[in-house]
């Protein structure tokens, strides 16, 4: 299994009221789980990417992502919010679930693009979205992400 997502990196029942608050939760958790050293640097990288264009997908999901020297290892973190927040998205609907991709700057071109591609494929699968939406079990969500990332693509060695 890829191990990009971990139970500790999945936050359920959050109470953010804005996109920036959701991104701040991601940045802070990245430091808490040892993926990054500086929450403000991670938040800055996430916000800079948001300025380039929408990371909101469809059906209440977003895929914020960042490349930064402050990120020590590639990881997928998840925020399940208790309410949808305004977030530019492909279907113009608010977002309540963010699946964040964090990648060290040194690995940015290769790992980042593969993670982004595989995550986009996952979010096209109704069964995956339903599982994430219907459970508050962090382990089940992390396992579903890792299994989905592993399908048909070895991110660690390709």
């Amino acid at each position: 299994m890829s191990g990009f997502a971990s139970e500790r990196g999945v936050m359920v029942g959050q109470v953010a009221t804005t996109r920036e608050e959701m991104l701040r939760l991601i940045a802070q958790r990245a430091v808490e789980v040892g993926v990054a050293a500086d929450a403000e640097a991670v938040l800055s990288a996430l916000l800079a990417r948001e300025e380039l264009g929408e990371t909101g997908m469809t059906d209440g999901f977003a895929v914020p992502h960042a490349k930064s020297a402050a990120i020590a290892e590639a990881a997928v973190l998840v925020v399940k919010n208790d309410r949808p927040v305004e977030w530019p998205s492909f279907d113009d609907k608010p977002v309540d679930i963010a699946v964040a991709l964090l990648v060290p700057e040194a690995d940015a071109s290769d790992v980042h693009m593969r993670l982004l591609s595989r995550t986009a494929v996952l979010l096209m699968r109704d069964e995956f979205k339903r599982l994430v939406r219907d459970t508050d079990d962090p382990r089940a969500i992390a396992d579903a992400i890792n299994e989905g990332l592993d399908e048909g693509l070895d991110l660690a060695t390709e």
Side-chain angles (χ1 to χ4, degrees):
M1 189 173 292
S2 67
F4 285 104
S6 73
E7 184 176 351
R8 290 186 60 218
V10 177
M11 299 165 275
V12 299
Q14 299 303 301
V15 293
T17 59
T18 66
R19 174 176 61 162
E20 186 169 339
E21 284 180 24
M22 285 180 72
L23 296 174
R24 185 172 297 282
L25 288 169
I26 292 163
Q28 290 168 341
R29 184 58 59 97
V31 172
E32 291 169 13
V33 299
V35 170
D38 181 346
E40 287 303 316
V42 174
L43 177 60
S44 179
L46 287 165
L47 290 170
R49 172 56 190 87
E50 292 293 316
E51 290 298 315
L52 296 177
E54 60 211 17
T55 60
M57 303 296 280
T58 60
D59 303 318
F61 285 83
V63 184
H65 44 286
K67 302 176 274 190
S68 172
I71 299 168
E73 63 184 81
V76 178
L77 303 180
V78 178
V79 174
K80 279 189 70 176
N81 209 41
D82 70 343
R83 74 198 74 179
V85 300
E86 289 303 312
W87 196 307
S89 64
F90 293 142
D91 62 2
D92 294 319
K93 294 182 180 172
V95 165
D96 61 339
I97 300 174
V99 179
L101 313 177
L102 304 178
V103 178
E105 202 162 53
D107 296 339
S109 61
D110 195 32
V111 174
H112 183 256
M113 291 310 296
R114 289 190 207 166
L115 270 176
L116 191 56
S117 171
R118 290 303 302 159
T119 303
V121 169
L122 271 179
L123 290 176
M124 287 189 269
R125 296 182 181 163
D126 289 336
E127 66 273 11
F128 173 78
K129 291 187 288 188
R130 194 169 26 258
L131 181 147
V132 173
R133 189 160 296 288
D134 290 349
T135 187
D136 281 338
D137 179 353
R139 169 156 293 182
I141 293 170
D143 287 350
I145 290 169
N146 287 327
E147 289 166 13
L149 290 176
D150 283 349
E151 284 179 17
L153 182 63
D154 185 354
L155 287 168
T157 60
E158 277 194 13

